[in-house]
Amino acid sequence: MSLVLVVAVLAAIALCERTQPLRFEPLPFLRSRFGTDLFYLATGALALSLVMRAGAARAAAAWGTPLPALGALPALAVVPLAVVLHDLFAYLAHWLMHRSETLWRLHKVHHSSPALDWLATFRAHPLEHALRHLFSPVALLLLGFPLHAVAVSSSLYTAWAALNHANLKLDPRFAEGLLITPRLHRLHHVPDSAQRNLGTIFSVWDRLRGTLVRDPAAPLRPLGVPGELASYPQSWLRALIEPLRSATNAREA
């Protein structure tokens, strides 16, 4: 059911992106590097996620100890709480990727996309995909959340991430006090504000840290890796080895 939800959301977003009144900017469906990003989706977001989540579930079943307070919650409250905590743990992982030079080298792959659409959501180094698929789900499972709550929270997180990367000109600014919108996340992909708007679902984490940018006059172009807009590799293989190459060059410098 969770996979069906994600596929349905992705299909709906892709369809809306083809609708002129809803489109943020002209972008062909088979845009540049479409095949590359499709490969990222197949290898990182799908195949790797299935393997990682299966292993995480087994580990949590063996080691996880439910928190006493969790068992006292009404059943209808467990999934919303899982969504909030999933997004919080994901925020921490994202913050670490921007904070650590080693993790930033991996995360640059995601920021290298020169245009945003539903498929650009999944452009990420395989090691980043592994970290993303492990960090929040494992934390929730170790806290004792049931598998169905973790599956639902993971699916909602993925669906919202795809919406925020979509090539849509949605502008629900009334919701930005609580939620990250496509406009807010697009600002995160602008080099000058790449350290801002790190949240995926909820904007409250950035608001608490003072890193939320909501300026409607802020530029939404260009997009890409800060300082490497034209030079960062776009092919899958070159991006795969780029973090290792840049780390080697940094040690030799």
Side-chain angles (χ1 to χ4, degrees), residues 29-96:
F29 181 74
L30 296 177
R31 45 110 171 129
S32 176
R33 297 299 175 183
F34 180 90
T36 300
D37 287 349
L38 198 62
F39 191 69
Y40 278 115
L41 171 63
T43 58
L46 295 179
L48 184 60
S49 68
L50 293 176
V51 174
M52 301 297 283
R53 289 177 186 178
R58 291 188 178 185
W63 303 328
T65 302
L67 294 176
L70 187 60
L73 287 176
L76 292 178
V78 172
V79 170
L81 179 59
V83 172
V84 172
L85 291 180
H86 187 116
D87 191 57
L88 174 59
F89 294 138
Y91 181 91
L92 294 175
H94 194 185
W95 175 78
L96 285 172

Side-chain angles (χ1 to χ4, degrees), residues 59-70 138-145:
W63 303 328
T65 302
L67 294 176
L70 187 60
V138 167
L140 291 176
L141 289 168
L142 291 177
L143 287 174
F145 280 86

Side-chain angles (χ1 to χ4, degrees), residues 141-167:
L141 289 168
L142 291 177
L143 287 174
F145 280 86
L147 281 173
H148 77 272
V150 178
V152 171
S153 69
S154 296
S155 298
L156 289 175
Y157 180 88
T158 301
W160 198 268
L163 177 64
N164 282 342
H165 287 84
N167 182 31

Side-chain angles (χ1 to χ4, degrees), residues 14-229:
L15 181 62
C16 289
E17 287 180 339
R18 311 270 45 87
T19 305
Q20 182 63 38
L22 299 177
R23 187 183 304 170
F24 175 75
E25 61 182 347
L27 195 64
F29 181 74
L30 296 177
R31 45 110 171 129
S32 176
R33 297 299 175 183
F34 180 90
T36 300
D37 287 349
L38 198 62
F39 191 69
Y40 278 115
L41 171 63
T43 58
L46 295 179
L48 184 60
S49 68
L50 293 176
V51 174
M52 301 297 283
R53 289 177 186 178
R58 291 188 178 185
W63 303 328
T65 302
L67 294 176
L70 187 60
L73 287 176
L76 292 178
V78 172
V79 170
L81 179 59
V83 172
V84 172
L85 291 180
H86 187 116
D87 191 57
L88 174 59
F89 294 138
Y91 181 91
L92 294 175
H94 194 185
W95 175 78
L96 285 172
M97 288 174 190
H98 281 264
R99 183 79 172 179
S100 162
E101 185 62 34
T102 299
L103 294 178
W104 171 239
R105 291 190 183 101
L106 297 176
H107 191 48
K108 279 182 179 182
V109 176
H110 180 65
H111 276 263
S112 68
S113 183
L116 294 184
D117 62 4
W118 71 274
L119 190 55
T121 311
F122 307 101
R123 178 187 287 210
H125 195 278
L127 291 179
E128 177 178 345
H129 273 300
L131 178 61
R132 294 278 194 167
H133 293 317
L134 273 174
F135 202 78
S136 290
V138 167
L140 291 176
L141 289 168
L142 291 177
L143 287 174
F145 280 86
L147 281 173
H148 77 272
V150 178
V152 171
S153 69
S154 296
S155 298
L156 289 175
Y157 180 88
T158 301
W160 198 268
L163 177 64
N164 282 342
H165 287 84
N167 182 31
L168 298 174
K169 58 180 179 182
L170 302 177
D171 196 11
R173 298 183 190 180
F174 66 90
E176 291 178 351
L178 176 64
L179 300 171
I180 293 291
T181 64
R183 185 180 75 92
L184 292 185
H185 192 71
R186 184 172 288 272
L187 285 169
H188 175 66
H189 280 264
V190 174
D192 288 346
S193 50
Q195 301 297 327
R196 309 278 182 159
N197 299 358
L198 297 174
T200 297
I201 298 179
F202 299 107
S203 61
V204 62
W205 320 125
D206 282 296
R207 195 146 43 84
L208 289 173
R209 292 189 57 240
T211 56
L212 184 66
V213 176
R214 300 177 63 182
D215 182 5
L220 297 179
R221 273 291 186 183
L223 309 178
V225 179
E228 302 177 64
L229 286 177

